[in-house]
Amino acid sequence: MARYAPAEIEPKWQRAWDAAGAFVAAPDPAREKYYVLEMFPYPSGRIHIGHVRNYTMGDVVARYKRAQGFNVLHPMGWDAFGMPAENAAMASGGHPKDWTYGNIAQMRDQMKPMGLSIDWSREFATCDPEYYGQQQALFLDFLEKGLVYRKAAVVNWDPVDMTVLANEQVIDGKGWRSGAAVERRELVQWFFRISDYSEELLDALDTLDDWPAKVKTMQANWIGRSRGLQFAFSMVEEAEGHDRIEVYTTRPDTLLGASFVAVSPDHPLARALERHDDGIAAFNAECRRMGTSEEELETAEKKGYDTGLKVRHPFDTSWELPVWIANFILMDYGTGAIFGCPAHDPRDLDFARKYDLPVISTFAPVEDDGQPLAEDGGPAFVPPKSERVIYIRGFAGETEQTGEEAVEAAIRFCEDNGVGQGVTKYRLRDWGLSRQRYWGCPIPVVHCDDCGVVPEKKENLPVTLPYDEDGAPIDFSVPGNPLDRHPSWARTECPACGKPARRETDTMDTFVDSSWYYARFTAPRAEAPTDPEETPYWMNVDQYIGGIEHAILHLLYSRFFARAMHICGHLPESAKEPFEALFTQGMVTHAIYQTTDAEGRPVYHFPDAVENRDGRMVLRDTGEEVEVVPSAKMSKSKKNVVDPDTIIRQYGADTVRWFVLSDSPPERDVEWTAAGAEAAHRHLSRVYRIVSEIAEKPAEEGAPAADEALLREMHKTIHEVTGGVESFGFNAAIARLYAFTNTLAKSEAGGAAKRQAAAALAQLMSPMTPHLAEELWATLGHEGLILDAPWPVADAAMLVEDEITLPVQINGKRRGEITVPRDLGKEEVEKAALESEPVARALDGGAPKKVIVVPGRIVNVVL
RNA sequence: GCGGGCGUGGUGGAACGGUAGACACAAGCGACUUAAAAUCGCUAGGGCGCAUCGCCCGUGCGGGUUCGAGUCCCGCCGCCCGCACCA
């Protein structure tokens, strides 16, 4: 008998699918469509086993939906702009364009053998001028609708490399390449008005029924709606033209616990003061040496500087509070100034203890009869706002009330007394899209001395990136932005007046590229961003699959973009929420094998260099024992990577696909182990052997009981695997398929029933192991592709058993079981349970206190 | 620091609030074989006992709700993701 030979059957069936044009999608109004999309990859050069898992999951969905009769769209492309290409050009020469397209070619070659049901005719890269030209057209439309504007914003500036740094390039306040201390610099940059949509983006989360709750929670917290009071402290003495400091607080009920006022180092008052005060100038300069990321501000040691200025408390003009500059106040949020209430905010409490400022509690726990907590070295008291507390320094509402009630009462009180207004604010900031880099989509505007900022004419799009400079490919080893220093690229004429003018040399954030690619896939060659005929048919994405790391930014930006594209007429109203269902998958991890060198530093070893000798993991060459760190994120530097290419060559694509789906639930991480891959391969070989044997034998009737038992199992398996695939329970579906394979192997049924069961097995496996499934289908003598066979449907009558076994508990612990007819009444079940041997013995003639019968589930006897 | 998630045998994991450990890996024993590979079968959370049957313990730690908790609630610990210029 022939052996399972994936190296032969996989290319064979891939050719058959290609010849049939099976995956080329075309709109068909007569059929219901289904759009499956996996987050497209960055072309780093090699596909990663994590990609394999991601695309396999999408492929299972695509193939399953296809078998159910849907017109499936399953495209693939490349998120191809971004810093790694420029970094590579700087590090080892070459050009970002060549590097990127070379990587794309390699990765496409690696992906093709996986047998994914992708419509490759729709492939594009975001760095194709045909794509980014349409993105520039979108930008111009957004500009016209007032969805983009310019304002000044701070960036990380590396004074040695003369370049803007990303947050990840700032390490301990220093540039990653130059090591120079990073400065904050202000540049005028473009922003999308996403914050205008805060309320809508927040409220619409409720309509996303098929998104994970955790993603919706994360987005809701990120948008951060808050209700608070905005008011001003008047200054005791005017300074630098400021006679008041405007603050925003979400806890106006703690106003009588105020102990200081603090402003951001970037607050206008702080900036004015630093001009005449060396101490403040030095403090602000120190604050500005920190990176711009919120994380860094929040984790840095809390520091402040007393300006010596004082403000008056709004309720008591004789109560004066000091004004500090503090490094943890964000200029971007609220008004860039706060009042500190140390008793009810851990940060303020740290600050107050450090600088010896008063701590005044305004409320206290109910259970301690209103004893304040923070005064004597205790922690800040910050209960949930829904919890009732006792106000010891309240001024509005009841003495005992919840924080929410108190905040509303305080806002009403303040408004009635002319101290500020209640306002709703959002944490979400506008999206800065300007990047001072080469490898991105050029922002299509022109700066004219006479006309100012002028949009490029649409007929002049795309504004393409220059490849060379004075005839030679651009040299990235020279510091600075190549677009900025290019001798001719930026020189153009003003689209308005025709005079010589200069192009914008900033490019767009790569998040812009990925905020609409899902729409472009519906009409990838259209002469406009989308196509009014094709786009409405395919939109929305029915199932989107990707990593949890994109839970906030990418998904929020895409939701904003879909709205903006709708406003500009590029998407229908119904596409404002472009992703109907979202699934976030886990990572693929792998053990790290490490030894230590003479200095005690870790030395990492590739999995190939390690072998198992009598249960100990040792280096193949030296026999030295290695330490095994399980389930670590794959990383080249730790050498715990596996190359999908190698594995596919060794075992075939179906084995890899089967393995990455089995064992671990898709939303969780899965650990790649050689033994697991080996086992997956053994199983597929076994299925091949079992089905081949069945195909060779005559299709005759068997013993009725054996035939029925096998077919019952088959229908159960169809039911459970279908449910598993529907609910992303791929691991559970695979476990069921293992069990069914065992049943089939041991079955005494006749050839006819076995052929039927084997065909069902092939079909149920076809989304996961499509090549093997085609081979088995043909082996069993079926005409045509299994790809085109309709998904099997379980016969409901075959799923129901006549008798069921119920566990019997005594006091909640399992003590036995009873087998009863399926629809036996509650009383009879109770009777049977009480008569069962363990219960009768425990009761010893007595009566139970209580009997709980959960029909079809369990009986619990309480003694 | 803030927001979100996860934690179950030697390992990956299963389990609508209802028999904890399905299914697999690794391991051990056996069959087949001259032998090996492949294949097939069996054992298997820990402990105890008057051992074909029964008891106790057990889902990161400590409490709680419930007839019943891996699952729900509160408080810890550890790890992972995000924090707006990484993609």
Side-chain angles (χ1 to χ4, degrees):
Chain A
M1 180 190 301
R3 283 177 57 101
Y4 172 50
E8 286 160 34
I9 67 176
E10 291 182 356
K12 179 174 80 181
W13 292 109
Q14 285 170 19
R15 280 193 301 272
W17 299 330
D18 282 347
F23 309 129
V24 178
D28 175 358
R31 287 168 68 205
E32 199 176 340
K33 63 90 192 181
Y34 195 91
Y35 182 2
V36 192
L37 184 66
E38 303 102 43
M39 291 179 186
F40 66 165
Y42 179 80
S44 56
R46 304 293 295 169
I47 62 166
H48 181 277
I49 195 78
H51 293 127
V52 170
R53 191 174 186 217
N54 188 213
Y55 306 134
T56 302
M57 288 180 196
D59 202 45
V60 169
V61 175
R63 287 175 178 271
Y64 167 71
K65 289 291 173 182
R66 179 192 172 94
Q68 291 213 315
F70 289 91
N71 188 19
V72 171
L73 173 60
H74 186 204
M76 181 58 65
W78 311 95
D79 188 13
F81 274 136
M83 298 205 303
E86 268 181 84
N87 292 338
M90 279 181 242
S92 38
H95 193 284
K97 180 179 172 183
D98 302 329
W99 185 86
T100 302
Y101 281 103
N103 284 352
I104 288 173
Q106 269 190 52
M107 288 176 72
R108 191 193 302 112
D109 286 350
Q110 284 186 294
M111 281 170 73
K112 287 276 173 87
M114 285 178 59
L116 301 168
S117 63
I118 285 169
D119 179 358
W120 286 100
S121 75
R122 290 172 186 260
E123 177 189 357
F124 61 75
T126 55
C127 63
D128 297 341
E130 295 74 23
Y131 182 80
Y132 71 72
Q134 296 303 333
Q135 186 162 304
Q136 290 168 342
L138 285 178
F139 180 92
L140 295 179
D141 289 345
F142 288 9
L143 191 59
E144 201 182 308
K145 296 284 184 192
L147 293 160
V148 207
Y149 68 101
R150 297 205 323 150
K151 73 170 178 186
V154 290
V155 295
N156 301 308
W157 179 256
D158 185 322
V160 170
D161 276 354
M162 306 291 279
T163 184
V164 176
L165 297 177
N167 284 334
E168 67 156 15
Q169 297 175 318
V170 180
I171 294 153
D172 295 331
K174 302 201 167 54
W176 66 342
R177 223 185 294 274
S178 69
V182 168
E183 300 166 7
R184 281 195 217 175
R185 252 201 198 192
E186 232 179 35
L187 298 178
V188 176
Q189 309 194 58
W190 289 97
F191 284 82
F192 288 121
R193 284 197 197 276
I194 188 172
S195 69
D196 282 7
Y197 295 83
S198 298
E199 187 177 6
E200 192 189 329
L201 289 167
L202 180 65
D203 291 345
L205 287 172
D206 290 340
T207 66
L208 301 175
D209 297 332
D210 293 318
W211 279 42
K214 63 179 170 185
V215 174
K216 290 191 277 188
T217 308
M218 282 192 261
Q219 291 218 352
N221 290 339
W222 183 262
I223 295 168
R225 173 152 56 196
S226 65
R227 171 82 178 149
L229 179 75
Q230 186 160 330
F231 70 100
F233 286 97
S234 61
M235 297 186 65
V236 173
E237 282 170 30
E238 184 181 312
E240 310 288 338
H242 293 255
D243 62 350
R244 43 196 270 138
I245 296 176
E246 191 85 12
V247 301
Y248 171 71
T249 176
T250 58
R251 290 312 295 256
D253 57 318
T254 65
L255 247 173
L256 292 175
S259 111
F260 60 93
V261 166
V263 302
S264 160
D266 293 317
H267 191 278
L269 177 60
R271 286 178 173 253
L273 289 170
E274 74 183 20
R275 290 203 298 266
H276 318 295
D277 184 322
D278 291 345
I280 292 177
F283 180 76
N284 287 352
E286 188 194 328
C287 292
R288 285 180 200 127
R289 274 199 290 278
M290 280 198 297
T292 55
S293 80
E294 195 167 300
E295 182 185 5
E296 204 175 333
L297 295 182
E298 294 272 336
T299 50
E301 191 196 346
K302 307 288 173 278
K303 284 188 187 169
Y305 190 92
D306 187 355
T307 62
L309 300 172
K310 302 266 192 240
V311 294
R312 293 184 210 284
H313 195 282
F315 294 173
D316 175 0
T317 51
S318 69
W319 182 0
E320 294 184 357
L321 299 168
V323 177
W324 286 68
I325 300 170
N327 65 353
F328 59 93
I329 311 296
L330 302 169
M331 192 57 222
D332 290 317
Y333 186 62
T335 60
I338 60 143
F339 75 80
C341 179
H344 304 297
D345 183 302
R347 281 188 311 189
D348 294 352
L349 186 62
D350 281 354
F351 194 81
R353 290 205 172 127
K354 182 166 182 173
Y355 295 110
D356 205 21
L357 295 159
V359 176
I360 312 156
S361 286
T362 60
F363 55 79
V366 172
E367 59 269 27
D368 295 348
D369 293 328
Q371 269 307 303
L373 284 180
E375 269 75 356
D376 306 314
F381 178 48
V382 194
K385 275 189 194 165
S386 54
E387 194 173 305
R388 298 178 73 80
V389 292
I390 291 177
Y391 278 80
I392 48 183
R393 287 174 67 82
F395 56 90
E398 306 294 322
T399 302
E400 187 184 321
Q401 59 184 337
T402 67
E404 280 152 3
E405 290 162 351
V407 167
E408 279 312 311
I411 290 172
R412 273 197 306 277
F413 177 91
C414 289
E415 285 179 342
D416 292 347
N417 289 276
V419 181
Q421 298 85 41
V423 289
T424 298
K425 279 195 191 293
Y426 295 87
R427 204 185 75 99
L428 180 63
R429 312 201 288 255
D430 277 337
W431 169 13
L433 68 120
S434 302
R435 297 290 182 270
Q436 296 68 39
R437 301 186 204 291
Y438 166 84
W439 193 233
C441 171
I443 294 174
V445 297
V446 171
H447 298 268
C448 170
D449 287 342
D450 293 346
C451 310
V453 178
V454 183
E456 184 52 272
K457 290 179 183 161
K458 274 202 181 165
E459 60 262 35
N460 292 339
L461 300 184
V463 176
T464 53
L465 290 169
Y467 180 78
D468 41 40
E469 177 179 38
D470 294 332
I474 291 170
D475 180 2
F476 285 84
S477 62
V478 187
N481 178 353
L483 293 181
D484 215 21
R485 65 153 195 265
H486 195 280
S488 58
W489 182 77
R491 281 211 299 266
T492 185
E493 48 193 48
C494 172
C497 69
K499 282 194 200 151
R502 193 173 158 77
R503 287 195 185 287
E504 169 97 29
T505 57
D506 282 357
T507 53
M508 296 186 203
D509 178 11
T510 56
F511 271 124
V512 180
D513 313 335
S514 56
S515 290
W516 72 286
Y517 77 110
Y518 52 86
R520 184 68 181 168
F521 274 137
T522 64
R525 314 289 172 235
E527 299 284 318
T530 59
D531 181 314
E533 299 296 316
E534 310 235 337
T535 301
Y537 175 78
W538 291 117
M539 286 298 286
N540 298 340
V541 176
D542 292 284
Q543 182 65 60
Y544 196 32
I545 303 171
I548 187 69
E549 66 272 22
H550 296 293
I552 297 176
L553 292 180
H554 161 63
L555 290 166
L556 192 61
Y557 290 160
S558 294
R559 295 177 62 218
F560 163 72
F561 240 70
R563 284 168 171 76
M565 287 176 75
H566 166 63
I567 290 166
C568 302
H570 298 297
L571 282 178
E573 166 98 35
S574 57
K576 278 161 80 173
E577 285 299 341
F579 309 124
E580 294 289 331
L582 173 71
F583 187 85
T584 54
Q585 100 280 11
M587 294 182 300
V588 181
T589 61
H590 192 288
I592 294 173
Y593 302 111
Q594 74 180 61
T595 54
T596 44
D597 67 9
E599 276 89 55
R601 288 179 303 234
V603 179
Y604 301 105
H605 305 279
F606 283 113
D608 315 355
V610 175
E611 65 183 3
N612 184 340
R613 282 186 204 157
D614 309 319
R616 296 183 321 134
M617 299 305 285
V618 299
L619 287 179
R620 201 180 292 275
D621 292 345
T622 64
E624 186 188 352
E625 185 155 4
V626 298
E627 191 193 337
V628 180
V629 183
S631 302
K633 181 157 91 173
M634 286 199 188
S635 134
K636 275 184 195 152
S637 62
K638 303 273 172 70
K639 297 192 174 175
N640 62 332
V641 288
V642 292
D643 189 0
D645 260 7
T646 317
I647 314 277
I648 290 175
R649 237 177 292 137
Q650 198 173 350
Y651 298 111
D654 283 340
T655 293
V656 180
R657 296 171 57 117
W658 184 259
F659 178 78
V660 294
L661 295 172
S662 58
D663 283 1
S664 224
E667 68 275 15
R668 256 201 265 175
D669 296 348
V670 65
E671 174 150 5
W672 180 273
T673 61
E678 182 68 47
H681 188 254
R682 266 205 313 270
H683 177 73
L684 298 187
S685 306
R686 180 164 180 249
V687 170
Y688 180 84
R689 198 173 57 244
I690 291 167
V691 175
S692 301
E693 279 167 16
I694 290 170
E696 283 169 9
K697 289 188 179 144
E700 52 199 15
E701 304 254 313
D707 282 4
E708 178 175 335
L710 179 62
L711 294 179
R712 269 187 185 276
E713 273 309 297
M714 180 188 83
H715 284 282
K716 263 195 211 161
T717 305
I718 291 171
H719 180 72
E720 285 175 29
V721 172
T722 304
V725 172
E726 285 280 352
S727 62
F728 275 80
F730 303 129
N731 57 324
I734 284 184
R736 198 68 191 77
L737 288 166
Y738 268 106
F740 184 55
T741 305
N742 289 336
T743 305
L744 179 60
K746 287 175 198 163
S747 172
E748 301 289 331
K754 281 191 175 182
R755 277 170 185 260
Q756 207 185 328
L761 178 63
Q763 282 195 278
L764 295 176
M765 288 176 74
S766 69
M768 294 105 169
T769 58
H771 314 87
L772 174 61
E774 291 286 5
E775 187 69 18
L776 299 178
W777 192 248
T779 303
L780 288 165
H782 294 272
E783 297 286 326
L785 295 169
I786 199 170
L787 197 65
D788 295 322
W791 190 253
V793 179
D795 178 353
M798 295 288 270
L799 300 178
V800 196
E801 303 285 356
D802 297 334
E803 291 208 312
I804 52 173
T805 299
L806 294 181
V808 176
Q809 294 182 332
I810 298 174
N811 290 337
K813 286 186 199 297
R814 182 181 177 276
R815 285 294 181 259
E817 57 187 35
I818 52 174
T819 299
V820 296
R822 179 169 48 83
D823 37 16
L824 191 68
K826 245 183 168 176
E827 292 75 21
E828 284 80 14
V829 171
E830 181 174 331
K831 189 157 165 279
L834 292 179
E835 282 166 358
S836 70
E837 197 268 324
V839 176
R841 183 151 33 88
L843 285 172
D844 194 21
K849 229 183 245 164
K850 193 172 174 185
V851 181
I852 293 131
V853 178
V854 183
R857 302 295 308 188
I858 204 164
V859 182
N860 188 11
V861 180
V862 185
L863 297 181

